[in-house]
Amino acid sequence: MSEISRDPLAVPRPGAPALRATVVALTMVVLACLLAAALTTDATARDGRGKPERVSPVDAKLTACASPALAPGLRIAERPRRGRDSGVEKKARAVARIAYERGMVARAQALAVTAVLSGEIAGAAQGRDFLKRLAKLDRWRTLPPTIVIHRVLRTPDPFAYEPHWQRAVNLLGSFAQQLDGSAERVVSVGGRAPKACRASAADTSALPLPAGSSYEVEQAGSAPGATPEPSATATTSGKGAGKAAGPGRGRGGAERGATAARRPAEIVVPDGQETRFVASCGTPVLAAAAGTVEVIHDDLAAGPWLIRVRNGSGDVVIDYAHVQNPTVANGATVLVGQQLAEVGDLGDVDQCALGLAVRTRVDGALVMVDPLRWLTSQLPTPEPERPMVPETRFRVASYNVLGHHLTVPGGSKRGWAPGTTRVANGLARLEAAGVSIVVLNEFESPQASVVLADGDWGLHRATPNNVFRDGNSNGNAVAWRVDTWKLIASDEFTVPWSTRLHMPVVYLQHLTTGAIVGVIGIHNPASTARAGNQQGARELARGIELDWIAQHLDTYPDIPVILAGDFNERDTAFCGLTAGGLLASSAGGSVGPACSVPRHGPVDWIFGTLGVQFLSQYIDRGFLGSISDHPLVSADVLFGEHRAPDLG
């Protein structure tokens, strides 16, 4: 039972939404300043370098768009929203859940589901073996799915799994408790790539390979479709760029018209130059600009298919060479981002690569331009690439300590050990369980002295909710192992009540990986015989807590938040906090409006934003009757590999 139960407030006061917004906005302004300053200082200290090396805008865009950026694994619902799974769907759901529990990305889940649908995985043991082999396979993140599964299983036909991929993606999307965007994007190699790198039909132009395809760019000699002829030379820039080889006049020389002197030298290149995007064979080739297709079959250097796309006005002509498996025909109209073919190794090329040549109108004539500079100049600039932070695992707990004053002589809990003894015992249990972050409720001054004296824990106490005559104070706190975490910012926000409630907030950085997480300690009002029904007060508190999290995610979308403590309610707490799609519970259950409450029991909960994954939850009822009147709730957390947060 919560100690915060003395004065009734049965329903929220009028104007509660405006009050919530004001409270949260003021807190976030202060905390944003503290966090930005602390993280900026820490980043400088960790980096140890001076000014960063200057990178050209072209290179920055290519690097941001080409680097694999896989979306984290999808949390799998325990059962379908409607109806029942078929036999194969049950197996697929189980294997997808195993991949999630292992902290694997969504693409790995889809690969495993594909193997199930093809009949190669019949049970959990085979699923685990598949995932173990997959993790050891070189370049599995960027190879075509059917090739990956073929190599993992060492089967004879590398294309046997292609027919099952799309169904696997759709199934995985239906299994997910919460899906941010389409299932196709989530499982793609660029599922978390910058938005500017993802092509859509509404764009003017785009890069010709999917975001995250791990491609490299280099310059070759004469482009397919070009007949070399002496002319002025030019150089190009961009990754792998160098002195142009084989300058000449391209096919349709009458279109050239303008002299080299009249060309903008920084973008125009010799007509004979080909830019190659080196990527795995089978990588989709996308239309870099909209237009009408012409398929040319008699260019030996390009291979069997040279796909030329000319825009409606004829001002832009783009050639795609060395491709395989074309998906468009003569006369077809294509939009930006539409698949044209696959990367191949056909024609005059010695590796899998897309050969690209772009001609655009300059001073009234079509001339060949550097595709890299032309295409990237059309793209919005992606955010600067941030360093990768490795996977981080830790255990977090919610521990209502049972206030010290309740078990002193004359207190309401007769026969219990003193609060200091109980906390010392609880702390030993936490350490034995491997907990490195804990939210503490009903936490009083003598008990705080025990934690601080231990020496292994850092502590942030919020402003006390109650101060007693002897100077002892009662409230909420967050503690962390100092050998695992470093405090980089701390604050609190309040929930208005007749006794104002103070909720502690900390931002912690993992000492080994550098990962940053936010933790909020929660203790919401309890309904008691004396206080009456406090459901309205709890709803007001939940609203403020959710508003705080929403504003945090707007400010720092890459820093997840864990919300833990004594919520003094069961099903209504779960449904109220998960309905908006911001939070998931360590106990499982639904995420979103259709509430499906998991088996749980206590009024103590652990929630997290969707940037972290809960791998398991434990309820230690051995605390009851000797250490506290609440069980210890703990959970294993996985914060997957990710880019360092943007501190803006």
Side-chain angles (χ1 to χ4, degrees), residues 18-74:
L19 180 60
R20 293 203 314 256
T22 301
V23 169
V24 172
L26 289 173
T27 304
M28 285 304 299
V29 167
V30 174
L31 188 55
C33 295
L34 289 171
L35 183 59
L39 294 186
T40 302
T41 301
D42 184 73
T44 303
R46 289 171 66 89
D47 191 358
R49 297 191 299 267
K51 293 182 179 179
E53 181 182 353
R54 292 181 64 85
V55 179
S56 76
V58 173
D59 283 352
K61 290 182 181 180
L62 285 176
T63 301
C65 294
S67 301
L70 280 75
L74 297 175

Short mmCIF file of all heavy atoms in Angstrom, two decimals, residues 18-74:
data_model
loop_
_atom_site.label_atom_id
_atom_site.label_comp_id
_atom_site.label_asym_id
_atom_site.label_seq_id
_atom_site.Cartn_x
_atom_site.Cartn_y
_atom_site.Cartn_z
N ALA A 18 -4.60 21.62 -19.44
CA ALA A 18 -3.75 22.80 -19.53
C ALA A 18 -2.71 22.80 -18.42
O ALA A 18 -1.55 23.17 -18.63
CB ALA A 18 -4.61 24.06 -19.44
N LEU A 19 -3.12 22.37 -17.24
CA LEU A 19 -2.19 22.30 -16.12
C LEU A 19 -1.08 21.30 -16.42
O LEU A 19 0.10 21.56 -16.18
CB LEU A 19 -2.95 21.89 -14.86
CG LEU A 19 -2.13 21.76 -13.56
CD1 LEU A 19 -1.47 23.08 -13.23
CD2 LEU A 19 -3.02 21.29 -12.43
N ARG A 20 -1.47 20.13 -16.95
CA ARG A 20 -0.47 19.12 -17.31
C ARG A 20 0.52 19.68 -18.30
O ARG A 20 1.73 19.52 -18.16
CB ARG A 20 -1.15 17.89 -17.92
CG ARG A 20 -2.01 17.10 -16.97
CD ARG A 20 -2.16 15.68 -17.46
NE ARG A 20 -2.47 15.59 -18.87
CZ ARG A 20 -3.67 15.32 -19.37
NH1 ARG A 20 -4.69 15.17 -18.54
NH2 ARG A 20 -3.86 15.21 -20.66
N ALA A 21 0.02 20.34 -19.32
CA ALA A 21 0.90 20.87 -20.36
C ALA A 21 1.88 21.88 -19.80
O ALA A 21 3.06 21.89 -20.16
CB ALA A 21 0.07 21.50 -21.48
N THR A 22 1.41 22.75 -18.90
CA THR A 22 2.30 23.76 -18.31
C THR A 22 3.38 23.11 -17.47
O THR A 22 4.56 23.44 -17.57
CB THR A 22 1.48 24.73 -17.44
OG1 THR A 22 0.49 25.35 -18.26
CG2 THR A 22 2.38 25.79 -16.84
N VAL A 23 2.98 22.16 -16.62
CA VAL A 23 3.94 21.47 -15.76
C VAL A 23 5.00 20.78 -16.60
O VAL A 23 6.21 20.90 -16.37
CB VAL A 23 3.21 20.45 -14.85
CG1 VAL A 23 4.23 19.56 -14.15
CG2 VAL A 23 2.34 21.16 -13.84
N VAL A 24 4.58 20.04 -17.60
CA VAL A 24 5.51 19.27 -18.42
C VAL A 24 6.41 20.19 -19.23
O VAL A 24 7.62 19.97 -19.33
CB VAL A 24 4.73 18.31 -19.34
CG1 VAL A 24 5.68 17.65 -20.33
CG2 VAL A 24 4.03 17.25 -18.51
N ALA A 25 5.85 21.23 -19.83
CA ALA A 25 6.65 22.12 -20.67
C ALA A 25 7.76 22.78 -19.88
O ALA A 25 8.91 22.85 -20.31
CB ALA A 25 5.75 23.18 -21.31
N LEU A 26 7.44 23.28 -18.67
CA LEU A 26 8.47 23.93 -17.85
C LEU A 26 9.56 22.94 -17.47
O LEU A 26 10.76 23.25 -17.52
CB LEU A 26 7.82 24.51 -16.59
CG LEU A 26 6.93 25.74 -16.80
CD1 LEU A 26 6.22 26.11 -15.50
CD2 LEU A 26 7.74 26.92 -17.32
N THR A 27 9.17 21.73 -17.10
CA THR A 27 10.17 20.73 -16.72
C THR A 27 11.07 20.38 -17.90
O THR A 27 12.28 20.27 -17.77
CB THR A 27 9.47 19.46 -16.21
OG1 THR A 27 8.62 19.81 -15.14
CG2 THR A 27 10.49 18.43 -15.73
N MET A 28 10.48 20.21 -19.08
CA MET A 28 11.27 19.79 -20.24
C MET A 28 12.24 20.87 -20.68
O MET A 28 13.35 20.57 -21.12
CB MET A 28 10.34 19.42 -21.41
CG MET A 28 9.66 18.08 -21.24
SD MET A 28 10.82 16.71 -20.97
CE MET A 28 11.75 16.78 -22.49
N VAL A 29 11.86 22.14 -20.56
CA VAL A 29 12.79 23.22 -20.94
C VAL A 29 14.03 23.16 -20.06
O VAL A 29 15.17 23.21 -20.54
CB VAL A 29 12.10 24.59 -20.80
CG1 VAL A 29 13.12 25.71 -20.88
CG2 VAL A 29 11.05 24.77 -21.89
N VAL A 30 13.83 23.03 -18.75
CA VAL A 30 14.97 22.97 -17.83
C VAL A 30 15.81 21.74 -18.10
O VAL A 30 17.05 21.80 -18.20
CB VAL A 30 14.47 22.98 -16.37
CG1 VAL A 30 15.63 22.76 -15.41
CG2 VAL A 30 13.75 24.29 -16.06
N LEU A 31 15.16 20.59 -18.24
CA LEU A 31 15.89 19.35 -18.40
C LEU A 31 16.62 19.30 -19.73
O LEU A 31 17.74 18.78 -19.82
CB LEU A 31 14.93 18.17 -18.28
CG LEU A 31 15.59 16.79 -18.25
CD1 LEU A 31 16.63 16.73 -17.14
CD2 LEU A 31 14.55 15.71 -18.06
N ALA A 32 16.02 19.84 -20.79
CA ALA A 32 16.69 19.85 -22.09
C ALA A 32 18.00 20.61 -22.01
O ALA A 32 19.01 20.19 -22.57
CB ALA A 32 15.77 20.48 -23.15
N CYS A 33 17.99 21.74 -21.31
CA CYS A 33 19.23 22.51 -21.16
C CYS A 33 20.27 21.72 -20.38
O CYS A 33 21.45 21.65 -20.75
CB CYS A 33 18.94 23.83 -20.45
SG CYS A 33 17.87 24.95 -21.40
N LEU A 34 19.85 21.11 -19.27
CA LEU A 34 20.79 20.33 -18.46
C LEU A 34 21.36 19.16 -19.24
O LEU A 34 22.57 18.91 -19.23
CB LEU A 34 20.07 19.80 -17.21
CG LEU A 34 19.69 20.82 -16.14
CD1 LEU A 34 18.79 20.14 -15.10
CD2 LEU A 34 20.92 21.38 -15.47
N LEU A 35 20.49 18.42 -19.92
CA LEU A 35 20.94 17.23 -20.64
C LEU A 35 21.84 17.59 -21.80
O LEU A 35 22.88 16.97 -22.01
CB LEU A 35 19.72 16.45 -21.13
CG LEU A 35 20.03 15.13 -21.85
CD1 LEU A 35 20.80 14.19 -20.93
CD2 LEU A 35 18.74 14.47 -22.30
N ALA A 36 21.46 18.60 -22.58
CA ALA A 36 22.28 18.99 -23.73
C ALA A 36 23.67 19.42 -23.27
O ALA A 36 24.68 19.04 -23.86
CB ALA A 36 21.60 20.12 -24.50
N ALA A 37 23.72 20.20 -22.19
CA ALA A 37 25.02 20.65 -21.70
C ALA A 37 25.85 19.48 -21.21
O ALA A 37 27.04 19.35 -21.52
CB ALA A 37 24.83 21.66 -20.57
N ALA A 38 25.23 18.59 -20.45
CA ALA A 38 25.97 17.45 -19.91
C ALA A 38 26.44 16.52 -21.00
O ALA A 38 27.58 16.06 -21.00
CB ALA A 38 25.08 16.69 -18.92
N LEU A 39 25.58 16.23 -21.97
CA LEU A 39 25.95 15.29 -23.03
C LEU A 39 26.99 15.90 -23.96
O LEU A 39 27.89 15.21 -24.43
CB LEU A 39 24.71 14.89 -23.82
CG LEU A 39 23.67 14.08 -23.06
CD1 LEU A 39 22.57 13.64 -24.01
CD2 LEU A 39 24.29 12.88 -22.39
N THR A 40 26.87 17.19 -24.24
CA THR A 40 27.86 17.83 -25.12
C THR A 40 29.23 17.80 -24.47
O THR A 40 30.23 17.47 -25.10
CB THR A 40 27.44 19.27 -25.42
OG1 THR A 40 26.13 19.27 -26.01
CG2 THR A 40 28.43 19.93 -26.37
N THR A 41 29.29 18.12 -23.18
CA THR A 41 30.56 18.09 -22.47
C THR A 41 31.11 16.68 -22.45
O THR A 41 32.29 16.44 -22.70
CB THR A 41 30.36 18.58 -21.02
OG1 THR A 41 29.85 19.90 -21.07
CG2 THR A 41 31.67 18.55 -20.26
N ASP A 42 30.24 15.69 -22.20
CA ASP A 42 30.70 14.32 -22.13
C ASP A 42 31.17 13.82 -23.48
O ASP A 42 32.16 13.11 -23.57
CB ASP A 42 29.56 13.42 -21.63
CG ASP A 42 30.02 12.00 -21.44
OD1 ASP A 42 30.75 11.73 -20.48
OD2 ASP A 42 29.67 11.16 -22.29
N ALA A 43 30.47 14.20 -24.55
CA ALA A 43 30.87 13.76 -25.88
C ALA A 43 32.25 14.29 -26.23
O ALA A 43 33.08 13.60 -26.81
CB ALA A 43 29.85 14.23 -26.92
N THR A 44 32.53 15.55 -25.84
CA THR A 44 33.84 16.13 -26.10
C THR A 44 34.91 15.38 -25.33
O THR A 44 35.98 15.06 -25.84
CB THR A 44 33.85 17.61 -25.70
OG1 THR A 44 32.83 18.28 -26.42
CG2 THR A 44 35.19 18.24 -26.01
N ALA A 45 34.59 15.06 -24.08
CA ALA A 45 35.57 14.35 -23.25
C ALA A 45 35.82 12.95 -23.77
O ALA A 45 36.96 12.48 -23.81
CB ALA A 45 35.07 14.29 -21.80
N ARG A 46 34.75 12.26 -24.19
CA ARG A 46 34.91 10.89 -24.68
C ARG A 46 35.63 10.87 -26.01
O ARG A 46 36.37 9.94 -26.31
CB ARG A 46 33.53 10.22 -24.83
CG ARG A 46 32.85 9.90 -23.53
CD ARG A 46 31.44 9.45 -23.76
NE ARG A 46 31.39 8.19 -24.47
CZ ARG A 46 31.40 7.00 -23.88
NH1 ARG A 46 31.49 6.92 -22.57
NH2 ARG A 46 31.33 5.90 -24.57
N ASP A 47 35.39 11.86 -26.83
CA ASP A 47 35.98 11.90 -28.17
C ASP A 47 37.48 12.15 -28.08
O ASP A 47 38.30 11.47 -28.69
CB ASP A 47 35.30 13.02 -28.99
CG ASP A 47 35.66 12.93 -30.45
OD1 ASP A 47 36.46 12.06 -30.80
OD2 ASP A 47 35.15 13.76 -31.22
N GLY A 48 37.87 13.19 -27.33
CA GLY A 48 39.27 13.48 -27.14
C GLY A 48 39.93 14.09 -28.35
O GLY A 48 41.16 14.22 -28.41
N ARG A 49 39.18 14.46 -29.36
CA ARG A 49 39.76 15.03 -30.57
C ARG A 49 39.35 16.48 -30.68
O ARG A 49 38.42 16.94 -30.03
CB ARG A 49 39.28 14.27 -31.81
CG ARG A 49 39.71 12.82 -31.83
CD ARG A 49 39.44 12.22 -33.20
NE ARG A 49 38.04 12.26 -33.57
CZ ARG A 49 37.19 11.26 -33.34
NH1 ARG A 49 37.61 10.18 -32.71
NH2 ARG A 49 35.94 11.34 -33.71
N GLY A 50 40.01 17.18 -31.58
CA GLY A 50 39.68 18.57 -31.83
C GLY A 50 38.54 18.67 -32.81
O GLY A 50 37.61 17.87 -32.80
N LYS A 51 38.64 19.61 -33.73
CA LYS A 51 37.58 19.81 -34.70
C LYS A 51 37.47 18.59 -35.60
O LYS A 51 38.47 18.00 -36.00
CB LYS A 51 37.89 21.04 -35.56
CG LYS A 51 37.83 22.34 -34.78
CD LYS A 51 38.10 23.53 -35.69
CE LYS A 51 38.02 24.84 -34.91
NZ LYS A 51 38.29 26.00 -35.79
N PRO A 52 36.24 18.17 -35.95
CA PRO A 52 36.10 17.00 -36.81
C PRO A 52 36.62 17.28 -38.21
O PRO A 52 36.64 18.41 -38.67
CB PRO A 52 34.57 16.78 -36.82
CG PRO A 52 33.98 18.11 -36.48
CD PRO A 52 34.96 18.77 -35.57
N GLU A 53 37.04 16.19 -38.84
CA GLU A 53 37.54 16.30 -40.21
C GLU A 53 36.42 16.78 -41.13
O GLU A 53 35.28 16.33 -41.02
CB GLU A 53 38.04 14.93 -40.66
CG GLU A 53 38.61 14.91 -42.06
CD GLU A 53 39.03 13.52 -42.48
OE1 GLU A 53 39.00 12.63 -41.61
OE2 GLU A 53 39.39 13.33 -43.65
N ARG A 54 36.75 17.69 -42.02
CA ARG A 54 35.75 18.20 -42.95
C ARG A 54 35.39 17.12 -43.96
O ARG A 54 36.26 16.47 -44.53
CB ARG A 54 36.27 19.45 -43.67
CG ARG A 54 36.44 20.64 -42.74
CD ARG A 54 36.94 21.84 -43.52
NE ARG A 54 35.97 22.27 -44.53
CZ ARG A 54 34.96 23.10 -44.26
NH1 ARG A 54 34.78 23.55 -43.05
NH2 ARG A 54 34.13 23.47 -45.21
N VAL A 55 34.11 16.94 -44.17
CA VAL A 55 33.62 15.95 -45.12
C VAL A 55 32.77 16.67 -46.14
O VAL A 55 31.95 17.52 -45.80
CB VAL A 55 32.77 14.87 -44.40
CG1 VAL A 55 32.23 13.86 -45.39
CG2 VAL A 55 33.60 14.17 -43.33
N SER A 56 32.97 16.32 -47.42
CA SER A 56 32.21 17.00 -48.46
C SER A 56 30.73 16.68 -48.32
O SER A 56 30.37 15.60 -47.84
CB SER A 56 32.70 16.57 -49.84
OG SER A 56 32.21 15.29 -50.15
N PRO A 57 29.84 17.59 -48.73
CA PRO A 57 28.41 17.31 -48.65
C PRO A 57 28.01 16.06 -49.41
O PRO A 57 27.12 15.31 -48.99
CB PRO A 57 27.77 18.57 -49.26
CG PRO A 57 28.80 19.64 -49.09
CD PRO A 57 30.12 18.96 -49.21
N VAL A 58 28.68 15.81 -50.57
CA VAL A 58 28.37 14.62 -51.35
C VAL A 58 28.70 13.37 -50.55
O VAL A 58 27.90 12.44 -50.42
CB VAL A 58 29.14 14.62 -52.69
CG1 VAL A 58 28.95 13.29 -53.42
CG2 VAL A 58 28.65 15.77 -53.57
N ASP A 59 29.92 13.32 -49.98
CA ASP A 59 30.32 12.16 -49.20
C ASP A 59 29.41 11.97 -47.99
O ASP A 59 29.07 10.84 -47.63
CB ASP A 59 31.77 12.32 -48.73
CG ASP A 59 32.76 12.04 -49.84
OD1 ASP A 59 32.32 11.58 -50.91
OD2 ASP A 59 33.96 12.29 -49.65
N ALA A 60 29.05 13.06 -47.35
CA ALA A 60 28.20 12.96 -46.16
C ALA A 60 26.85 12.33 -46.50
O ALA A 60 26.35 11.47 -45.77
CB ALA A 60 28.00 14.35 -45.54
N LYS A 61 26.27 12.76 -47.62
CA LYS A 61 24.97 12.21 -48.01
C LYS A 61 25.08 10.75 -48.40
O LYS A 61 24.25 9.92 -48.02
CB LYS A 61 24.38 13.04 -49.15
CG LYS A 61 23.94 14.43 -48.73
CD LYS A 61 23.32 15.19 -49.88
CE LYS A 61 22.90 16.60 -49.44
NZ LYS A 61 22.28 17.37 -50.53
N LEU A 62 26.14 10.41 -49.17
CA LEU A 62 26.29 9.02 -49.59
C LEU A 62 26.51 8.12 -48.39
O LEU A 62 25.94 7.03 -48.29
CB LEU A 62 27.46 8.90 -50.56
CG LEU A 62 27.21 9.41 -51.98
CD1 LEU A 62 28.49 9.32 -52.79
CD2 LEU A 62 26.11 8.60 -52.64
N THR A 63 27.36 8.54 -47.47
CA THR A 63 27.65 7.72 -46.29
C THR A 63 26.39 7.52 -45.46
O THR A 63 26.10 6.41 -45.01
CB THR A 63 28.73 8.38 -45.43
OG1 THR A 63 29.91 8.53 -46.22
CG2 THR A 63 29.04 7.55 -44.20
N ALA A 64 25.64 8.59 -45.26
CA ALA A 64 24.41 8.49 -44.46
C ALA A 64 23.40 7.56 -45.10
O ALA A 64 22.69 6.83 -44.42
CB ALA A 64 23.81 9.88 -44.25
N CYS A 65 23.33 7.59 -46.43
CA CYS A 65 22.30 6.82 -47.12
C CYS A 65 22.73 5.39 -47.42
O CYS A 65 21.89 4.49 -47.52
CB CYS A 65 21.91 7.52 -48.42
SG CYS A 65 21.09 9.12 -48.18
N ALA A 66 24.03 5.15 -47.60
CA ALA A 66 24.50 3.82 -47.96
C ALA A 66 24.68 2.92 -46.76
O ALA A 66 24.57 1.70 -46.87
CB ALA A 66 25.81 3.92 -48.74
N SER A 67 24.96 3.49 -45.60
CA SER A 67 25.26 2.67 -44.42
C SER A 67 24.05 1.87 -43.99
O SER A 67 22.93 2.40 -43.92
CB SER A 67 25.71 3.56 -43.26
OG SER A 67 26.85 4.31 -43.62
N PRO A 68 24.22 0.57 -43.70
CA PRO A 68 23.09 -0.23 -43.20
C PRO A 68 22.49 0.40 -41.95
O PRO A 68 23.22 0.86 -41.07
CB PRO A 68 23.73 -1.59 -42.89
CG PRO A 68 24.94 -1.65 -43.75
CD PRO A 68 25.44 -0.24 -43.84
N ALA A 69 21.19 0.43 -41.89
CA ALA A 69 20.49 1.04 -40.75
C ALA A 69 19.24 0.21 -40.48
O ALA A 69 18.14 0.57 -40.86
CB ALA A 69 20.13 2.49 -41.05
N LEU A 70 19.45 -0.94 -39.86
CA LEU A 70 18.36 -1.89 -39.67
C LEU A 70 17.51 -1.51 -38.46
O LEU A 70 18.04 -1.08 -37.43
CB LEU A 70 18.91 -3.31 -39.49
CG LEU A 70 19.30 -4.02 -40.79
CD1 LEU A 70 20.60 -3.48 -41.33
CD2 LEU A 70 19.40 -5.52 -40.58
N ALA A 71 16.21 -1.69 -38.61
CA ALA A 71 15.28 -1.39 -37.52
C ALA A 71 15.37 -2.47 -36.45
O ALA A 71 15.64 -3.64 -36.75
CB ALA A 71 13.86 -1.30 -38.07
N PRO A 72 15.16 -2.11 -35.19
CA PRO A 72 15.23 -3.12 -34.12
C PRO A 72 14.12 -4.14 -34.25
O PRO A 72 13.15 -3.96 -35.00
CB PRO A 72 15.07 -2.27 -32.85
CG PRO A 72 14.36 -1.04 -33.29
CD PRO A 72 14.83 -0.78 -34.69
N GLY A 73 14.28 -5.24 -33.52
CA GLY A 73 13.29 -6.31 -33.58
C GLY A 73 11.91 -5.85 -33.14
O GLY A 73 11.76 -4.92 -32.35
N LEU A 74 10.91 -6.52 -33.65
CA LEU A 74 9.52 -6.21 -33.33
C LEU A 74 9.07 -7.08 -32.15
O LEU A 74 9.28 -8.30 -32.14
CB LEU A 74 8.62 -6.47 -34.53
CG LEU A 74 8.89 -5.62 -35.78
CD1 LEU A 74 8.01 -6.08 -36.93
CD2 LEU A 74 8.65 -4.15 -35.48
#
